């Protein structure tokens, strides 16, 4: 709304430059998928190599001429760079090519704007867009005079610029206040779940790894899932029942991507906090992807940024239906703890194994409660003493034994199974929390 810029169409010339000194480079194939996800129609892909970016045009004058020829040949109205450009570089390239120029951050912001369906998601995208636009605001008024000192030299440009900056700041503050309210509501929901001792499991993963397909397979939620980048943007949460654990909240979050713009991480902090405050992270991985190791690293970096890297994590290698003669399985560490599950969310093969692994990991949580043990369950009482789970013993007015227990839920389930009992058959006493 503030820019005096060329119109943009869907015919796009793509530009990707590798730098000799850079250890990390964005994948050109992923870049093309991003453009397709945004609704663009790539007509030519121009690549090059440089030591460092050119301060004025990002690319050299020879490469700039090559891009100009491609734009003219295909009548393209949009040039997209697989890199982040400065405001001045964008302006200079647009002036030289006489067409709209978009960088990687602008492209991802556009995709997010298309995908946001909830009011919260739309606010988060608008906030990121406004912060991005604020660095490029001056470009909208280059056709106006700048304010200068002296009679007859004062122009409207700077005044208009200041007005727009003020409007931007006010809108950003307004959105931040509304998102702060959303964050407090989410905090309240998390506190309620903690009081109800309901664990939260968050699905995280590189974009298009299949988190939403897996979420739908488990919950039948009908969340939008397509074979495209950022098919899911808005977080979705559902309550599910797990054997030996009970009610669990499962959360599907936005997919990550390499060099995820910092503005997006900041804008989506309220959403990403669902991952940062989870009891367990399910890191969904595209198993047959050639860049699998790189994608895992990128997800770990984003988890580090949102302070979720230290949370318990189960890796879920998805899409094994695309790997020949590969069967679902659970990988365990030296202690027998599940560390990875191989499955196909599309076919459902291995999903039950994953739920078993999740139940096993969540079952490591301590059960701290008071149990009424009937005289007919004396053997069960003895077993609790055997494993040193009893912290205190008392008897009620009817002579029924009450045991204050502290033991891992998995251990409790194993003991009940050996006795041919189910947790529902036990008489738990609801009392105040007690220190163990």
């Amino acid at each position: 709304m503030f820019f005096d810029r060329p119109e943009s169409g869907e015919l796009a010339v793509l530009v990707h430059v590798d730098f000799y000194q850079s250890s990390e480079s964005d994948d050109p194939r992923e870049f093309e998928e991003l453009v397709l996800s945004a609704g663009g129609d790539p007509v030519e892909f121009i690549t090059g190599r440089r030591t460092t970016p050119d301060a004025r045009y990002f690319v050299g004058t020879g490469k700039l001429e090559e891009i100009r020829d491609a734009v003219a040949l295909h009548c393209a109205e949009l040039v997209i760079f697989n890199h982040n450009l400065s405001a001045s570089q964008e302006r200079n390239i647009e002036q030289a090519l006489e067409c709209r120029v978009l960088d990687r951050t602008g492209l991802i912001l556009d995709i997010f704007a298309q995908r946001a369906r909830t009011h919260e998601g739309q606010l988060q995208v608008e906030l990121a867009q406004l912060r991005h636009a604020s660095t490029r605001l001056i470009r909208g008024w280059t056709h106006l005079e700048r304010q200068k000192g002296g009679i007859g030299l004062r122009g409207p440009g700077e005044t208009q610029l200041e007005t727009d900056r003020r409007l931007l700041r006010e809108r950003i503050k307004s959105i931040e206040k509304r998102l702060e309210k959303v964050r407090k509501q989410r905090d309240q929901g998390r506190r309620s779940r903690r009081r109800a001792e309901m664990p939260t499991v968050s699905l995280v993963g590189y974009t298009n790894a299949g988190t939403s397909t897996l979420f739908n397979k488990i919950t039948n939620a009908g969340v939008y899932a397509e074979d495209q980048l950022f098919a899911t943007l808005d977080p979705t949460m559902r309550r599910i029942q797990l054997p030996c654990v009970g009610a669990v909240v499962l959360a599907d979050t936005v997919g990550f991507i390499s060099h995820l713009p910092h503005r997006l991480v900041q804008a989506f902090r309220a959403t990403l906090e669902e991952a940062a405050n989870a009891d367990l992270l399910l890191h969904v991985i595209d198993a047959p992807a050639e860049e699998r190791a790189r994608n895992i690293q990128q997800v770990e970096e984003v988890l580090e940024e949102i302070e979720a890297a230290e949370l318990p994590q189960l890796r879920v290698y998805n899409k094994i239906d695309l790997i020949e003669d590969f069967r679902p399985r659970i990988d365990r560490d030296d202690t027998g703890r599940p560390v990875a599950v191989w499955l196909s969310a599309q076919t459902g093969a291995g999903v039950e194994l994953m739920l078993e692994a999740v139940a096993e990991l969540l079952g490591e949580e301590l059960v701290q409660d008071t149990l009424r043990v009937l005289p007919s369950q004396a053997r069960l009482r003895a077993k609790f003493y055997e494993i040193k789970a009893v912290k205190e013993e008392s008897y009620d007015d009817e002579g029924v034994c009450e045991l204050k227990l502290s033991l891992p839920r998995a251990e409790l389930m194993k003991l009940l199974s050996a006795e041919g009992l189910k947790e529902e058959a036990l008489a738990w006493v609801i009392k105040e929390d007690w220190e163990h």
Side-chain angles (χ1 to χ4, degrees):
M1 57 183 168
F2 295 103
F3 303 144
D4 177 30
R5 306 180 64 179
E7 295 291 329
S8 64
E10 295 187 356
L11 296 179
V13 173
L14 313 187
V15 181
H16 174 85
V17 181
D18 286 317
F19 295 98
Y20 294 108
Q21 297 177 351
S22 175
S23 59
E24 293 185 9
S25 178
D26 291 312
D27 186 0
R29 290 171 299 177
E30 179 184 85
F31 175 43
E32 191 166 1
E33 288 179 18
L34 278 172
V35 175
L36 292 170
S37 293
D41 183 9
V43 291
E44 189 162 341
F45 201 125
I46 295 175
T47 60
R49 292 183 71 84
R50 283 182 64 86
T51 305
T52 56
D54 180 75
R56 183 172 175 81
Y57 293 113
F58 192 83
V59 295
T61 52
K63 187 62 65 176
L64 187 67
E65 191 64 35
E66 184 182 345
I67 298 170
R68 184 188 288 114
D69 292 343
V71 169
L73 175 64
H74 300 285
C75 298
E77 298 172 306
L78 180 63
V79 174
I80 307 177
F81 281 73
N82 191 23
H83 312 274
N84 291 327
L85 304 176
S86 69
S88 61
Q89 286 171 335
E90 254 187 58
R91 181 181 66 247
N92 295 335
I93 298 170
E94 281 188 356
Q95 289 175 344
L97 301 179
E98 297 181 348
C99 73
R100 179 77 183 274
V101 173
L102 202 62
D103 67 355
R104 183 180 175 87
T105 296
L107 176 63
I108 294 175
L109 283 171
D110 183 80
I111 296 172
F112 272 47
Q114 294 180 45
R115 300 285 190 270
R117 289 175 173 81
T118 66
H119 180 59
E120 177 195 350
Q122 290 165 355
L123 283 176
Q124 290 168 328
V125 171
E126 185 181 355
L127 178 61
Q129 287 178 319
L130 290 176
R131 285 174 172 166
H132 185 64
S134 64
T135 64
R136 285 146 168 80
L137 189 59
I138 192 170
R139 307 173 55 215
W141 302 102
T142 51
H143 64 291
L144 298 178
E145 297 176 58
R146 293 296 182 85
Q147 223 171 21
K148 301 177 183 177
I151 298 173
L153 295 178
R154 296 180 180 89
E158 200 69 31
T159 303
Q160 182 65 62
L161 210 58
E162 289 169 356
T163 302
D164 291 337
R165 283 176 178 149
R166 177 175 53 79
L167 291 173
L168 266 179
R169 285 195 300 269
E170 289 175 357
R171 180 60 179 165
I172 287 173
K173 285 180 182 177
S174 172
I175 294 174
E176 286 176 338
K177 285 181 181 177
R178 291 159 80 176
L179 286 175
E180 179 66 18
K181 185 177 179 182
V182 170
R183 189 187 67 79
K184 288 180 179 178
Q185 290 171 341
R186 288 188 181 279
D187 283 343
Q188 188 175 13
R190 281 192 289 268
R191 285 196 297 272
S192 298
R193 292 196 296 272
R194 281 196 291 269
R195 282 196 297 268
E197 296 184 356
M198 193 181 301
T200 300
V201 178
S202 285
L203 291 164
V204 298
Y206 205 79
T207 182
N208 205 31
T211 56
S212 294
T213 304
L214 181 59
F215 185 83
N216 286 336
K217 183 64 69 174
I218 298 171
T219 65
N220 297 317
V223 170
Y224 179 66
E226 288 292 336
D227 185 18
Q228 59 184 14
L229 303 185
F230 298 120
T232 302
L233 182 57
D234 300 304
T236 309
M237 303 203 312
R238 291 291 186 274
R239 178 173 170 168
I240 61 173
Q241 292 287 330
L242 288 182
C244 305
V245 176
V248 172
V249 173
L250 185 67
D252 185 20
T253 59
V254 61
F256 301 160
I257 196 168
S258 63
H259 302 145
L260 185 67
H262 185 70
R263 291 186 185 90
L264 282 179
V265 175
Q266 289 298 317
F268 280 78
R269 183 162 293 279
T271 299
L272 295 173
E273 279 179 358
E274 291 300 340
N277 290 278
D279 297 284
L280 176 65
L281 295 178
L282 298 184
H283 181 175
V284 183
I285 300 163
D286 188 344
E290 294 179 10
E291 59 280 0
R292 186 174 80 189
R294 169 180 163 275
N295 293 351
I296 291 173
Q297 181 185 351
Q298 294 294 336
V299 171
E300 297 291 350
E301 288 177 4
V302 177
L303 291 175
E304 188 79 37
E305 188 168 355
I306 63 174
E307 300 178 358
E310 301 303 319
L311 293 176
Q313 187 180 123
L314 176 68
R315 288 190 175 180
V316 179
Y317 291 91
N318 188 23
K319 305 184 183 181
I320 63 169
D321 53 306
L322 302 179
I323 305 176
E324 190 175 352
D325 296 330
F326 201 97
R327 293 185 178 180
R329 71 166 192 259
I330 298 178
D331 293 342
R332 300 177 181 273
D333 61 15
D334 294 339
T335 65
R337 185 175 183 273
V339 292
V341 180
W342 298 76
L343 56 76
S344 169
Q346 189 68 40
T347 65
V351 171
E352 287 300 321
L353 287 178
M354 187 202 73
L355 294 177
E356 288 176 19
V358 170
E360 193 173 330
L361 292 172
L362 292 178
E364 292 178 356
E365 295 179 0
L366 287 180
V367 172
Q368 296 181 350
D369 216 332
T370 304
L371 175 67
R372 286 169 57 88
V373 180
L374 302 175
S376 59
Q377 297 173 322
R379 197 165 76 170
L380 180 61
R381 172 183 172 277
K383 292 283 187 182
F384 283 131
Y385 271 99
E386 263 184 47
I387 61 175
K388 297 181 178 169
V390 180
K391 297 300 179 184
E392 189 177 314
E393 183 183 63
S394 62
Y395 289 84
D396 64 7
D397 296 337
E398 300 172 1
V400 177
C401 179
E402 291 186 355
L403 300 178
K404 283 188 175 179
L405 302 176
S406 178
L407 75 166
R409 185 173 291 276
E411 192 71 27
L412 173 63
M413 294 305 154
K414 191 186 299 182
L415 192 152
L416 294 180
S417 178
E419 294 296 317
L421 296 172
K422 291 186 177 180
E423 188 176 11
E424 291 78 5
L426 300 179
W428 296 99
V429 181
I430 307 300
K431 290 192 174 183
E432 295 293 327
D433 291 340
W434 51 277
E435 297 294 328
H436 62 285

